[in-house]
Amino acid sequence: MQSFDLTPSERQELYKFTIDFLEKYYSDTKSNRVSPRLDISEIVKEVRKVDFSAPLTSKEALKHLVEGMKNYSVQTPHPKYFGLYNPRANFPSILGDLITAVFNPQLAAWSHSPFANEIENYLIAEFGKKFGYSTESIDGVFASGGAEANLTAVLCAVNYAFPQFAKSGWFGVRKRPVMYCSAESHHSVHKAAKTVGLGYDAIRNIPVRKDLKMDLEILKETIQKDVHDGYQPFLVIGTAGTTGTGAIDDLPGIRKIADDFGLWFHVDAAYGGAAVLHPDLKPYLNGISLSDSITFDAHKWLSVTMGTSLFITRHKEILSETFRITAEYMPKEAKDLEIVDPFTHSIQWSRRAYGIKLYLALMIFGWEGYEKTIRHQTEIGEKLKGLLKNSGWTVMNSSPFPVVCFMDENYLDNPDFTKTVIKNIIDSGKSWLSIYPVFGKPTFRACITNYNTSEEDIEALVSELNEGREILESRIKNQGTK
């Protein structure tokens, strides 16, 4: 029977073979197309040409896999990927993922992976302090992503507002619960409401002001109306760096309204939370320390591999109250120790160790290294805004973060303009950016997600945009003369 371990010499050879492939890609990512050609039949054929009844050699299999990922993926590590919050992963976090895979720790029971569990406890405590929570009150858990962290927040808010919920569920709640968020909030908030059984109708999407922040006057009026109509408000969510425009809600103002009506106040800082590591950006998150809980994704601006999200709260007991459960088959080695088993503290049961890659990156780069990286990306974002304005584009958002929504105002009412220009750029494979509606008008959205993105890269992007605009203008002019 073939050994799943392979032999030591085979492993050494395959380590080197794989690393040589990956190193070539990692060191020369820029030479690849940013986006693949989306030929569905070709991609399906490439995947399915492998016959599991006739296994390949190890090297053939590895080559097939790496080449497939290189040729048929949007290259988020590319310096001209200006898309969603999917950055290039720093190398220590990649090594952290490798180490995690080899040891394969299972974090349900503290006693089975005490070192990995304490790494995550330490990181929760350190980031909790960075966000301004008092040391003695900090608690939290790592999650697979911001969606799970936001779902955790909704569940904690439910159990905080309705202490009987763990036993009787919604059957024990007399008034219909409702929750509040900005119209610019991430859709994971809506998914969380659906998942916990509240449904979309329980969400009040509060309009935003001209600065794209949640309108607190409307928030207050909406809550007052819901109370009058017999609903039970229990949660308000502010955002520190919205997905679309990077807007930061008025967090102190939300806290005051939450206090007036006895609501749990959660801040979705999945992207913008990293600003606490930059002294010039940190003031924009004023009020985040007043929140009851925070979502923060290290796999966004901290450039670690997917997925590494943190849910942090200043309510020491709420996670246990929300998720506590007993299971006789779980290990009992630590029953006499003052520890918390993660399976009693989070949505997940058996799960991967998410924190190791962030721990390794912080050990090597430190807070200062991250501050410098965030500063560089912010400066590149500001330079991009300047280049766009000089080329006749209008910046449509005002975020201090390197998220730029922009448009040629002459084409604001022409939805085909953005689609056509972006399609040409993406089809060329030179860059990747997205479209985002600002007050119902489609705009271009470019985000600096890569610590290697340079001035040369953004100059090239603006040239591509200008060229696309010129081609479209020429086409429209020719059509008008016919």
Side-chain angles (χ1 to χ4, degrees), residues 386-415:
L387 289 170
L388 288 166
K389 290 175 183 177
N390 291 340
S391 293
W393 300 91
T394 300
V395 175
M396 308 293 285
N397 66 325
S398 57
S399 176
F401 302 149
V403 185
V404 190
C405 295
F406 58 96
M407 187 58 178
D408 184 323
E409 291 191 285
N410 295 316
Y411 295 95
L412 269 176
D413 294 318
N414 183 348

Side-chain angles (χ1 to χ4, degrees), residues 113-153:
S113 303
F115 189 75
N117 271 307
E118 286 308 315
I119 282 175
E120 295 194 356
N121 290 339
Y122 179 43
L123 291 169
I124 291 288
E126 289 300 298
F127 277 97
K129 286 189 285 187
K130 289 290 183 185
F131 285 121
Y133 286 166
S134 62
T135 302
E136 63 277 4
S137 70
I138 297 168
D139 196 13
V141 66
F142 271 74
S144 58
E148 184 188 334
N150 281 339
L151 175 57
T152 301

Side-chain angles (χ1 to χ4, degrees), residues 9 104 171 201 238 287 329 359 372 375 393 407 422 469:
S9 61
N104 200 26
F171 294 104
D201 288 346
Y329 63 85
Y359 184 64
K372 289 178 179 177
R375 185 182 301 278
W393 300 91
M407 187 58 178
I422 276 193
R469 178 174 59 184

Side-chain angles (χ1 to χ4, degrees), residues 41-207:
S41 60
E42 177 184 314
I43 296 168
V44 170
K45 182 180 178 181
E46 188 66 18
V47 170
R48 299 187 181 189
K49 73 180 185 182
V50 176
D51 181 357
F52 300 139
S53 299
L56 304 176
T57 67
S58 298
K59 289 183 178 179
E60 287 172 340
L62 285 164
K63 183 177 180 181
H64 172 72
L65 179 58
V66 174
E67 290 291 338
M69 292 299 293
K70 186 179 77 171
N71 295 331
Y72 302 110
S73 298
V74 172
Q75 303 299 324
T76 56
H78 198 291
K80 290 185 70 187
Y81 172 79
F82 300 102
L84 311 178
Y85 300 131
N86 300 318
R88 178 180 178 83
N90 64 58
F91 194 66
S93 75
I94 293 172
L95 292 178
D97 248 350
L98 175 61
I99 292 167
T100 302
V102 172
F103 282 92
N104 200 26
Q106 194 272 81
L107 263 63
W110 182 91
S111 62
H112 270 206
S113 303
F115 189 75
N117 271 307
E118 286 308 315
I119 282 175
E120 295 194 356
N121 290 339
Y122 179 43
L123 291 169
I124 291 288
E126 289 300 298
F127 277 97
K129 286 189 285 187
K130 289 290 183 185
F131 285 121
Y133 286 166
S134 62
T135 302
E136 63 277 4
S137 70
I138 297 168
D139 196 13
V141 66
F142 271 74
S144 58
E148 184 188 334
N150 281 339
L151 175 57
T152 301
V154 173
L155 284 166
C156 286
V158 166
N159 280 274
Y160 184 79
F162 309 105
Q164 77 281 15
F165 181 80
K167 181 179 180 182
S168 57
W170 295 121
F171 294 104
V173 177
R174 291 186 297 107
K175 296 181 179 180
R176 183 165 183 178
V178 286
M179 51 189 277
Y180 307 83
C181 64
S182 158
E184 292 285 309
S185 292
H186 193 269
H187 287 89
S188 62
V189 171
H190 299 74
K191 192 172 184 179
K194 178 182 177 183
T195 302
V196 302
L198 285 170
Y200 297 139
D201 288 346
I203 304 172
R204 304 293 190 251
N205 293 300
I206 307 300

Side-chain angles (χ1 to χ4, degrees), residues 178-182 204 206 219 222-223 226 233 235-237 263:
V178 286
M179 51 189 277
Y180 307 83
C181 64
S182 158
R204 304 293 190 251
I206 307 300
L219 171 64
T222 304
I223 297 173
D226 281 335
L235 167 66
V236 58
I237 299 174
L263 311 185

